[in-house]
Amino acid sequence: QVQLVESGGGLVQAGGSLRLSCVVSGSIFRLNAMGWYRQDPGKQRELVARVTTGGTTLYDDSVKGRFTVSRDNAKNAVYLQMNSLKPEDTAVYHCNADVYDCSFYGCSTADYWGQGTQVTVSS
């Protein structure tokens, strides 16, 4: 059983900062790419930022230069530092991890999601 637990969301004024954290626990042989997605009610979940095991990052154009994704492989954790927040950043932010695990039946890769943390940016 793999679990992703997020923390760090909240209410902040425009121009402010927040730092999201996500810790992955459970049966993990190797964590591959990890990242953050966000979702507004009635809209599709969209990629915010992603980081590979080796540290290569990918950002949505809307957050480039403002958000920084990082990971701590020793802690099975991924972080999202969000600066210069805008009202349009308001959403539920979900942590995502691509997990490679092995059992008696073999090895496989699966995608896991956190429950989400609300980020609200007031104007």
Side-chain angles (χ1 to χ4, degrees), residues 20-37:
L20 304 183
S21 300
C22 173
V23 177
V24 185
S25 63
S27 179
I28 304 167
F29 185 81
R30 184 181 68 235
L31 276 176
N32 295 326
M34 301 175 71
W36 294 90
Y37 291 70

Side-chain angles (χ1 to χ4, degrees), residues 32-49:
N32 295 326
M34 301 175 71
W36 294 90
Y37 291 70
R38 63 188 180 189
Q39 187 170 23
D40 271 336
K43 295 185 179 180
Q44 285 191 328
R45 192 172 293 185
E46 61 178 17
L47 172 69
V48 176

Side-chain angles (χ1 to χ4, degrees), residues 13-94:
Q13 287 190 330
S17 298
L18 285 173
R19 186 174 188 252
L20 304 183
S21 300
C22 173
V23 177
V24 185
S25 63
S27 179
I28 304 167
F29 185 81
R30 184 181 68 235
L31 276 176
N32 295 326
M34 301 175 71
W36 294 90
Y37 291 70
R38 63 188 180 189
Q39 187 170 23
D40 271 336
K43 295 185 179 180
Q44 285 191 328
R45 192 172 293 185
E46 61 178 17
L47 172 69
V48 176
R50 199 157 174 83
V51 56
T52 68
T53 306
T56 301
T57 57
L58 173 69
Y59 295 94
D60 181 77
D61 286 344
S62 66
V63 307
K64 283 181 181 177
R66 300 188 298 122
F67 291 9
T68 302
V69 63
S70 61
R71 63 189 286 166
D72 185 332
N73 292 328
K75 296 181 178 180
N76 288 342
V78 63
Y79 309 99
L80 185 67
Q81 178 65 44
M82 304 185 292
N83 298 328
S84 301
L85 282 160
K86 304 176 180 179
E88 50 263 44
D89 294 319
T90 296
V92 176
Y93 284 69
H94 294 269

Side-chain angles (χ1 to χ4, degrees), residues 1-14:
Q1 186 81 14
V2 174
Q3 287 188 321
L4 280 66
V5 180
E6 300 125 331
S7 61
L11 173 63
V12 65
Q13 287 190 330

Side-chain angles (χ1 to χ4, degrees), residues 87-104:
E88 50 263 44
D89 294 319
T90 296
V92 176
Y93 284 69
H94 294 269
C95 174
N96 170 264
D98 186 46
V99 179
Y100 181 75
D101 191 31
C102 295
S103 67
F104 174 81

